[in-house]
Amino acid sequence: QQQQQKQQQQQQQQHQRQEPTEYREPVANLSCRRGMAELQELARLLSAAHVPGPQMQQATRQLRALEDQAGFSIALIRLLENDSVDPGARLAASIYFKNALKRHWGDDAFPDDERKAIKEGLLPLIFRSPKPVRLQLLATLEELTRPGSAWLAEWPNLLPALSQSVTEAGSDIRLQTQAMEVVHTVFKHFRRGGASSIVRDSRCCSESFGPCHLEVWKHACERLLSPQCPLEQRLSILELLASAMEVFHDLHFQVLPEFFSSNSELYLEGFLALLELRSSGSEAEVEPLRTLQVEICCVL
């Protein structure tokens, strides 16, 4: 009798393995404004939307329906902030977040409380996210600050927050470089066209961010040009200076800003010293140094 029961159990298990796993139809009314209780369900939907097949189509339809609910973008932010969520689901959330904002940010009906939450939470989220997610969030920031979006007037805290992110990095070269990359994401729009609004915004950003940029530039040059600077640190500083040069190029593409004009000698001294700099002999240093010197030549 025990042997028969064992055989029946084995048959049941084999039958279960052969049955296809059904797609669970997601809840049609996620409470996005509350958010936290449904994060796992939302994460499951986002993951399913990136797997080819019927599940992908169903999940995509469900997400597009949820997208129209108030608080959906806040729910995505909460999911992105949660380190316990599967990395794949977080990456999917960052992609969906970017695309959803592209579709709706310009709508007059987009809730003001969600705009405020996004503006307050996006920069901290960028700095704490792993690189694949950070790249998607940087693309989101680029979209929200595109030319014609009046972002300077509608997001007055952004410029001070950018300067603060660089200042708070202190002497941490890696964090300083990340902060400069974020700044470049916002300012690189200034290299497009010559509309009067772009010129005006470029001048405003130059006067606001200029002092912070100068401090980073001076200290990085001093550290790099010091004979005691170890190779590993030289590589990191070269990357930082290249990012700082990209920002410098952004702010000089339209006009010569007054702040930078007043401090031109300090920058020119650094340019000349860096152009004369030669590799210490390490092959790892050749390409970063060349990248920096090319960027300097582009500005000059």
Side-chain angles (χ1 to χ4, degrees):
Q1 186 176 3
Q2 291 178 351
Q3 187 175 2
Q4 289 177 350
Q5 290 177 352
K6 185 176 181 180
Q7 290 176 349
Q8 290 176 355
Q9 290 176 353
Q10 290 176 346
Q11 290 175 354
Q12 290 176 354
Q13 291 175 355
Q14 184 177 4
H15 179 68
Q16 290 174 353
R17 286 196 297 268
Q18 292 173 348
E19 288 182 347
T21 302
E22 294 184 358
Y23 174 71
R24 289 189 299 139
E25 182 65 23
V27 180
N29 186 26
L30 287 181
S31 179
C32 293
R33 189 172 296 276
R34 235 182 15 249
M36 297 307 296
E38 293 87 5
L39 281 184
Q40 291 301 323
E41 179 67 12
L42 181 57
R44 187 182 65 80
L45 272 178
L46 289 161
S47 297
H50 285 76
V51 179
Q55 298 184 8
M56 180 179 183
Q57 297 175 357
Q58 294 176 13
T60 300
R61 286 196 299 269
Q62 189 67 25
L63 286 169
R64 291 303 292 267
L66 293 172
E67 192 177 314
D68 295 330
Q69 294 186 18
F72 179 69
S73 59
I74 297 178
L76 288 175
I77 290 176
R78 297 294 173 261
L79 190 150
L80 288 165
E81 291 174 338
N82 194 327
D83 294 335
S84 65
V85 175
D86 176 75
R90 290 176 72 189
L91 178 58
S94 66
I95 296 172
Y96 203 94
F97 182 67
K98 174 191 66 178
N99 293 332
L101 290 185
K102 282 184 178 180
R103 289 189 286 266
H104 298 293
W105 188 257
D107 297 347
D108 294 336
F110 195 86
D112 289 339
D113 60 339
E114 292 190 48
R115 289 185 191 274
K116 181 180 179 181
I118 291 168
K119 290 175 181 178
E120 291 177 351
L122 185 55
L123 279 187
L125 192 57
I126 288 173
F127 286 111
R128 63 171 293 182
S129 297
K131 186 174 182 178
V133 173
R134 185 167 69 249
L135 291 176
Q136 296 299 323
L137 295 176
L138 285 173
T140 304
L141 179 62
E142 181 179 355
E143 176 66 22
L144 301 188
T145 56
R146 68 186 187 281
S149 62
W151 63 272
L152 269 175
E154 297 175 3
W155 199 344
N157 294 331
L158 180 57
L159 280 180
L162 292 174
S163 297
Q164 184 178 1
S165 68
V166 176
T167 302
E168 289 182 347
S171 58
D172 190 318
I173 301 172
R174 181 184 62 84
L175 291 180
Q176 284 184 325
T177 303
Q178 286 186 4
M180 282 293 176
E181 290 172 351
V182 175
V183 175
H184 172 56
T185 298
V186 177
F187 290 173
K188 65 183 177 181
H189 293 302
F190 298 147
R191 302 194 194 191
R192 302 178 183 176
S196 59
S197 61
I198 294 181
V199 174
R200 182 192 64 239
D201 291 351
S202 176
R203 289 183 184 276
C204 178
C205 292
S206 297
E207 298 309 311
S208 175
F209 188 72
C212 179
H213 186 278
L214 180 59
E215 286 301 308
V216 173
W217 178 261
K218 287 194 304 183
H219 292 148
C221 285
E222 290 173 0
R223 294 167 73 178
L224 179 65
L225 298 173
S226 171
Q228 289 77 34
C229 186
L231 175 61
E232 184 177 352
Q233 195 174 86
R234 284 171 64 91
L235 296 175
S236 299
I237 296 174
L238 284 169
E239 186 178 359
L240 170 59
L241 286 171
S243 295
M245 276 306 305
E246 286 187 320
V247 174
F248 187 92
H249 196 174
D250 297 336
L251 296 174
H252 284 73
F253 194 83
Q254 299 291 338
V255 293
L256 178 60
E258 183 178 346
F259 174 83
F260 289 101
S261 177
S262 302
N263 294 278
S264 59
E265 289 187 11
L266 291 173
Y267 280 101
L268 287 173
E269 288 176 4
F271 292 166
L272 294 175
L274 292 172
L275 289 174
E276 292 175 354
L277 187 64
R278 296 295 177 263
S279 171
S280 61
S282 170
E283 292 184 3
E285 192 180 14
V286 173
E287 189 59 30
L289 179 58
R290 179 180 178 276
T291 299
L292 173 59
Q293 291 174 337
V294 167
E295 189 65 34
I296 293 173
C297 290
C298 288
V299 171
L300 295 176

